[in-house]
Amino acid sequence: MDKKAFISLRGMLKAGLMAALTAVLAWVQIPLPFSPVPITGQTFGVMLAGSLLGKRTGCLSMLIFLLLGTAGVPVFAGAKAGLGVLLGPTGGYLLAFPLAAYTIGSIAFPSQGSPSPMRMGWANFLGGILVIYALGTIQLSLVAHMSFGAAFVAGALYFIPGDLLKVMVATFVGLRVRAILPRFKMEEKG
Amino acid sequence: MLKDITIGQYIPGDSLIHLLDPRTKILGAMAFILALFIASGPEGYLILTLFSIIIIILSRIPTSFVLRGLKPLYYILAFTVLLNFFLTPGVEIWRWKFLRLTEEGLRQGLFMGWRLLLLVLTTSLLTLTSSPIALTDGIERLLNPFKTIGVPAHELAMMMTIALRFIPTLLEETDKIMKAQMARGAEFESGNIVQRAKGMVPLLVPLFISAFRRADELAMAMEARCYRGGEGRTRMKQLEMKKRDYYALTLMGLLVIFAIYERLCL
């Protein structure tokens, strides 16, 4: 091939598989005793896409995930799908996924060596919580005509304790998987 | 529990809406959303509501299926309407303790609620009447013109197809890993919240490793079969724009123009 490809075949497949995995995780739910909204595994997908695939491929995999949902595969939490979900009041949390994965990927891959657990944790916190809630709350307040504060209470407050737990689990899992991956010769150059 | 999930909300059929090209339907849905956000008065909403009702009838999808799409939205819908009712400043028409219902609030609340309702009902029709594969194809073809500015249309569609293909496989894998770890004494459905969160680790680590391994195996298999991207690829099912597609697109264009006219002049 004379022209440089947009993405390597391996990168393409990893992004596709990660999008599928995020969809599968959306269906894994843990009910919370103190909050009306359950924990879904979806954000694990976002955090691990960023911290395992890096910013570019991770971001791409989340884009694929959103496109799948737009195409009608019930991949969003609670087996929802469609353009209406993305543009509706709660769509901002989903639309933030690519940016969140990008943020995580850029922090979790230091210029050399592997990231410290602390750095990985920060990456997951900034991308997985800050980016997602900021964009999600903005869209909720815009689409549903609420004040920013009301939107935060309606859409974010109850989720935060669960999400902090998820950040810890995702950080741990991310470090473990990254330690195991080289054994399968999964790392490629370029 | 994971087995109960069916993939795709697509309901096969041969109605006029089903037969439209997926590209027409995607563009049409986008035009409808645009019109919905431009329209501002009762006339505009009336036309858009009539339009939604007509295409829902034309699609011959049972109404119960269409309404099911609203279910996850009940809470947010009620919240939006009530919040607008009581928090919009204006002429007071009803009062109970600290709650003030205003005329402007009543108007705005009803409009906002109605807009969300139409938005979700009509866009869900897109996915009820076209299969995910057809939509993936449609997205690829719609993105094709943007290739010149660097949008990888084929690659995006390919990745979507791969993800689609592997969702059932990975679901099965998740089920298998959960059972395997339960046999080794792992707990997924008991204990307090911290224990449950910790319980996710023995599920997630093998799941991600196995997804990576599959990606690698698939890459090898595709290289062995000389996969080389979208150039020169031929297809069994060709998308073709028919007369009805052009009629439908013209109608959608008129709807947007009407919404703009209504906003500016009425």
Side-chain angles (χ1 to χ4, degrees):
Chain A
M1 224 179 273
D2 44 346
K3 200 172 60 173
K4 196 184 176 311
F6 166 73
I7 185 173
S8 69
L9 178 60
R10 248 154 250 261
M12 209 162 113
L13 293 172
K14 278 193 220 161
L17 263 290
M18 195 58 80
L21 209 50
T22 308
V24 169
L25 288 172
W27 293 320
V28 179
Q29 293 200 338
I30 312 172
L32 284 186
F34 50 83
S35 148
V37 281
I39 288 189
T40 82
Q42 210 167 37
T43 25
F44 283 128
V46 186
M47 292 189 241
L48 288 162
S51 54
L52 294 177
L53 299 182
K55 54 184 179 187
R56 196 172 135 87
T57 319
C59 174
L60 199 64
S61 75
M62 290 302 105
L63 216 60
I64 299 300
F65 173 75
L66 294 186
L67 280 172
L68 274 181
T70 315
V73 191
V75 294
F76 302 148
K80 282 185 279 183
L83 203 56
V85 179
L86 280 188
L87 295 173
T90 56
Y93 304 101
L94 292 165
L95 287 172
F97 282 8
L99 186 64
Y102 190 90
T103 311
I104 295 168
S106 29
I107 302 171
F109 282 83
S111 45
Q112 45 187 287
S114 47
S116 65
M118 202 54 203
R119 191 181 173 116
M120 193 84 143
W122 265 110
N124 283 331
F125 176 76
L126 290 177
I129 293 192
L130 230 57
V131 171
I132 292 181
Y133 283 128
L135 292 187
T137 309
I138 289 171
Q139 178 160 345
L140 183 60
S141 68
L142 286 182
V143 176
H145 256 245
M146 310 175 177
S147 69
F148 194 81
F152 180 79
V153 173
L157 195 59
Y158 296 117
F159 292 90
I160 285 180
D163 270 353
L164 285 174
L165 265 173
K166 277 198 266 186
V167 164
M168 284 190 263
V169 174
T171 305
F172 188 72
V173 172
L175 289 167
R176 277 285 285 278
V177 174
R178 270 175 71 165
I180 298 170
L181 278 183
R183 270 192 244 160
F184 293 99
K185 293 186 184 134
M186 231 47 92
E187 299 300 300
E188 45 162 341
K189 287 162 206 113
Chain B
M1 90 199 174
L2 291 176
K3 280 183 204 127
D4 303 332
I5 293 149
T6 46
I7 299 283
Q9 320 160 285
Y10 173 53
I11 298 172
D14 57 355
S15 73
L16 177 64
I17 308 288
H18 280 90
L19 292 179
L20 286 174
D21 190 283
R23 282 168 289 177
T24 310
K25 282 187 267 191
I26 296 169
L27 291 175
M30 282 159 73
F32 183 82
I33 292 162
L34 193 65
L36 200 57
F37 279 96
I38 296 173
S40 54
E43 296 90 355
Y45 277 71
L46 187 71
I47 298 283
L48 288 170
T49 309
L50 280 177
F51 176 83
S52 308
I53 293 172
I54 291 170
I55 60 167
I56 288 172
I57 293 170
L58 276 180
S59 72
R60 280 191 257 136
I61 302 273
T63 324
S64 59
F65 276 100
V66 183
L67 290 177
R68 200 177 293 171
L70 283 178
K71 220 169 153 189
L73 275 176
Y74 286 156
Y75 161 75
I76 209 87
L77 211 63
F79 199 81
T80 305
V81 173
L82 289 178
L83 214 70
N84 274 298
F85 271 6
F86 294 109
L87 290 181
T88 313
V91 187
E92 185 178 305
I93 50 177
W94 184 74
R95 187 182 190 114
W96 181 74
K97 288 181 186 166
F98 60 94
L99 289 174
R100 291 176 65 237
L101 181 65
T102 62
E103 205 179 305
E104 285 80 355
L106 190 67
R107 225 178 106 94
Q108 193 170 357
L110 288 178
F111 270 129
M112 292 306 303
W114 197 240
R115 174 192 281 179
L116 289 181
L117 203 75
L118 286 182
L119 180 75
V120 176
L121 278 186
T122 316
T123 47
S124 72
L125 215 56
L126 172 69
T127 47
L128 282 168
T129 60
S130 12
S131 68
I133 294 286
L135 283 175
T136 310
D137 250 11
I139 290 173
E140 177 173 355
R141 293 289 296 273
L142 281 176
L143 288 177
N144 255 340
F146 298 104
K147 258 186 181 164
T148 43
I149 56 161
V151 176
H154 168 77
E155 281 81 0
L156 287 179
M158 186 70 194
M159 283 185 270
M160 283 175 74
T161 316
I162 289 165
L164 213 55
R165 160 65 186 79
F166 276 94
I167 287 174
T169 315
L170 290 174
L171 258 179
E172 214 181 287
E173 193 114 326
T174 311
D175 218 38
K176 225 186 262 174
I177 294 171
M178 278 176 111
K179 280 184 187 139
Q181 299 289 27
M182 263 142 70
R184 290 172 178 81
E187 295 268 2
F188 292 111
E189 283 169 13
S190 64
N192 65 32
I193 176 69
V194 178
Q195 283 167 328
R196 279 186 199 207
K198 268 191 194 159
M200 295 297 283
V201 175
L203 170 67
L204 290 175
V205 173
L207 194 60
F208 277 87
I209 297 282
S210 103
F212 273 90
R213 188 158 47 195
R214 274 176 198 284
D216 207 49
E217 280 166 5
L218 196 59
M220 237 178 327
M222 285 170 78
E223 272 163 2
R225 286 163 180 79
C226 304
Y227 170 80
R228 55 186 186 91
E231 241 144 279
R233 182 183 160 188
T234 53
R235 308 170 169 277
M236 191 156 144
K237 276 188 187 163
Q238 295 278 358
L239 291 182
E240 201 188 334
M241 294 289 271
K242 300 229 171 63
K243 242 185 199 160
R244 54 171 174 256
D245 292 300
Y246 294 111
Y247 288 142
L249 286 176
T250 314
L251 183 71
M252 295 315 295
L254 287 176
L255 205 65
V256 175
I257 292 170
F258 172 78
I260 295 172
Y261 169 76
E262 194 245 354
R263 174 107 193 196
L264 296 178
C265 309
L266 289 183

